[in-house]
């Protein structure tokens, strides 16, 4: 079992959406959780995100936001952040996680370009292989753009819709790349 941790700021919009989308996309060999660098501890998924997730058939009812801690990062085999700033926070508190912490956009791009570097069967094995080969894949790619996923918190419905669509796209692309 591979433990994947999704990280955003408040752990009420992007990271719980990524958690549920990834859990739905990846096979049962991957356990997906989430946390926030400045979490609204105990809060449910924000209403605009919750409504959209429910519309996709994803159950968010048991979700409660939690704060990111070094222990949570240590327990994860793979850490996926929404922004470069969040990745920096993870690594400031847990420098040992450097080789297994990626922006979601970066992880997706690396998976798409990994090709024969991805070994094994099942999503957990292929994600472990991706983490191991990430340095080689980065070297082949050079300077690939890895954009942040913008924070929709407190913004209008259009922003929430756009961000969820972006997350869905990254997750679907990652799933396809792992199974290529």
């Amino acid at each position: 079992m591979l433990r994947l941790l999704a990280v955003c700021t408040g752990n009420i919009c992007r990271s719980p959406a990524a958690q549920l989308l990834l859990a739905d996309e990846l096979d049962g060999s991957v356990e997906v959780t989430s946390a926030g660098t400045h979490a609204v501890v105990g809060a449910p998924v924000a209403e605009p995100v919750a409504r959209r997730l429910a519309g996709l058939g994803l159950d968010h009812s048991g979700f409660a936001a939690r704060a990111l801690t070094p222990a949570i990062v240590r327990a994860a085999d793979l850490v996926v952040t929404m922004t470069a700033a969040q990745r920096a926070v993870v690594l400031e508190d847990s420098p040992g996680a450097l080789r297994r912490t990626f922006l979601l956009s970066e992880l997706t791009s690396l998976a798409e370009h990994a090709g024969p570097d991805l070994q094994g069967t099942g999503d957990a094995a292929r994600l472990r292989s991706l983490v191991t080969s990430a340095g080689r894949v980065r070297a082949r790619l050079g300077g690939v753009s890895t954009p942040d996923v913008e924070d929709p918190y407190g913004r209008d419905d259009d922003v929430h819709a756009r961000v969820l669509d972006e997350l869905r796209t990254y997750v679907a692309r990652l799933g396809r790349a792992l199974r290529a």
Side-chain angles (χ1 to χ4, degrees):
M1 177 76 60
L2 180 129
R3 294 172 312 259
L4 188 154
L5 173 66
V7 175
C8 75
T9 304
N11 194 215
I12 58 173
C13 292
R14 294 169 292 177
S15 61
Q19 174 185 336
L20 293 170
L21 291 165
L22 285 162
D24 188 58
E25 176 70 29
L26 300 174
D27 67 26
S29 66
V30 180
E31 174 189 358
V32 187
T33 60
S34 64
T37 60
H38 293 85
V40 184
V41 175
V45 176
E47 189 281 327
V49 177
R51 182 172 14 95
R52 284 177 174 75
L53 291 171
L56 297 172
L58 299 175
D59 180 15
H60 58 82
S61 61
F63 182 83
R66 67 182 182 154
L68 183 71
T69 66
I72 291 171
V73 173
R74 274 192 307 276
D77 299 300
L78 175 58
V79 180
V80 177
T81 67
M82 303 299 118
T83 70
Q86 291 156 359
R87 184 176 188 271
V89 169
V90 168
L91 296 177
E92 182 177 316
D93 293 339
S94 301
L98 176 65
R99 294 181 191 261
R100 56 189 169 86
T101 303
F102 304 86
L103 271 72
L104 178 59
S105 60
E106 177 188 26
L107 185 71
T108 299
S109 179
L110 290 171
E112 289 173 334
H113 291 91
D117 287 330
L118 289 185
Q119 303 295 314
T121 57
D123 292 339
R126 296 186 59 84
L127 282 167
R128 285 183 201 285
S129 177
L130 180 58
V131 169
T132 301
S133 65
R136 287 188 303 276
V137 177
R138 277 188 189 114
R140 282 197 315 256
L141 291 176
V144 172
S145 173
T146 55
D148 289 348
V149 175
E150 97 182 271
D151 189 354
Y153 183 73
R155 314 251 325 261
D156 65 36
D157 246 21
D158 291 343
V159 176
H160 284 276
R162 184 176 66 243
V163 168
L164 188 59
D165 285 346
E166 183 178 8
L167 290 171
R168 289 177 68 199
T169 299
Y170 282 130
V171 168
R173 286 174 49 201
L174 177 63
R176 280 192 303 273
L178 290 175
R179 294 177 192 100

